[in-house]
């Protein structure tokens, strides 16, 4: 069922993350991803980002990916250390290219402003590297790219 997402499985690492947004100064970041499968009809993931200079932990998210066996629709369910939870859905645009977009974003009542309203991601293989691109709309800014990163597969 999740076999068509098996290209995501394993550990990935990048020292080449690029962050930007109209309201922010450009920044670089490091990130480690892991996608695991234990036989259930889902893939579990952890995404851990680190400051490029100090290597200190930054953004973290954990969650699950599921696929509807009938429609092949993919659901990406994520909880983030910033107090955000979200469900994105979408589909494979190519055998190794996933496009998803949030339909539900939940926030802590005491989360920082501006609040995230909508998130879009693409995951795709570029040669033997995995690329993730994340765009978001906030209460202050329309849908704009925030992150662009290519990961190498770890042993
Ligand atoms: C800022 C959302 C992932 C690094 C922000 C802001 C939002 C946001 C709403 C404030 C924007 C503004 O002030 O206009 C998200 C979402 C993410 C995500 C929804 C994932 C889906 C990441 C990752 C990193 C990162 C992986 C990597 C280190 C930053 C930095 C800032 C920022 C450095 C500016 C400083 C700060 O406010 O902490 N992000 N972010 N973000 N984000 Fe992200």
């Amino acid at each position: 069922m999740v076999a068509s997402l098996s290209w995501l499985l394993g550990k990935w690492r990048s020292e080449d993350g690029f962050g930007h947004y109209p309201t922010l100064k450009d920044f670089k970041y490091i990130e480690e991803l892991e996608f695991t499968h234990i036989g259930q009809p889902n893939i579990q993931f952890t995404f851990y980002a680190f400051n490029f200079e100090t290597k200190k932990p930054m953004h973290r998210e954990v969650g699950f990916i599921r696929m509807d066996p009938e429609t092949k629709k993919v659901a990406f369910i994520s909880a983030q250390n910033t107090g955000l939870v979200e469900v994105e859905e979408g589909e494979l645009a190519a055998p190794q290219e996933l496009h998803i977009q949030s339909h539900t974003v939940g926030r802590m009542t005491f989360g920082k402003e501006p609040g995230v309203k909508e998130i879009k991601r693409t995951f795709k293989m570029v040669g033997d590297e995995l690329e993730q691109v994340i765009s978001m709309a906030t209460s202050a800014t329309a849908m704009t790219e925030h992150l662009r990163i290519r990961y190498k597969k770890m042993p």
Side-chain angles (χ1 to χ4, degrees):
M1 199 182 308
V2 285
S4 49
L5 295 171
S6 61
W7 49 278
L8 289 169
L9 292 175
K11 285 187 187 179
W12 301 87
R13 181 179 161 83
S14 174
E15 300 216 352
D16 201 22
F18 174 57
H20 60 147
Y21 205 61
T23 51
L24 305 178
K25 269 210 314 204
D26 292 1
F27 61 93
K28 289 173 74 172
Y29 67 101
I30 297 168
E31 195 171 41
E32 293 173 357
L33 312 187
E34 187 169 16
F35 297 90
T36 53
H37 179 243
I38 56 161
Q40 293 181 327
N42 63 66
I43 288 173
Q44 185 167 350
F45 67 81
T46 54
F47 295 179
Y48 298 150
F50 302 88
N51 182 287
F52 186 79
E53 280 84 27
T54 65
K55 319 288 186 226
K56 281 194 177 158
M58 292 180 71
H59 187 268
R60 291 164 91 82
E61 54 183 313
V62 298
F64 297 91
I65 303 175
R66 299 184 62 102
M67 181 182 258
D68 184 328
E70 302 293 320
T71 62
K72 307 292 181 213
K73 188 185 262 196
V74 174
F76 176 98
I77 300 110
S78 164
Q80 304 181 17
N81 62 347
T82 50
L84 194 95
V85 292
E86 50 140 343
V87 183
E88 297 181 43
E89 287 187 2
E91 42 205 52
L92 288 168
Q96 296 190 329
E97 179 168 346
L98 177 64
H99 292 193
I100 49 175
Q101 177 162 3
S102 63
H103 60 65
T104 305
V105 176
R107 302 181 66 221
M108 307 185 300
T109 52
F110 52 96
K112 272 204 284 188
E113 291 298 331
V116 178
K117 295 290 184 195
E118 212 181 343
I119 302 167
K120 277 188 188 174
R121 307 189 195 223
T122 60
F123 293 93
K124 73 172 175 187
M125 291 303 299
V126 181
D128 56 2
E129 293 187 341
L130 173 65
E131 181 181 84
Q132 182 179 197
V133 179
I134 302 183
S135 300
M136 65 179 172
T138 69
S139 49
T141 307
M143 182 62 74
T144 311
E145 190 174 300
H146 179 33
L147 304 153
R148 179 170 284 269
I149 185 165
R150 279 193 189 172
Y151 312 89
K152 292 186 190 338
K153 190 82 182 262
M154 302 300 290

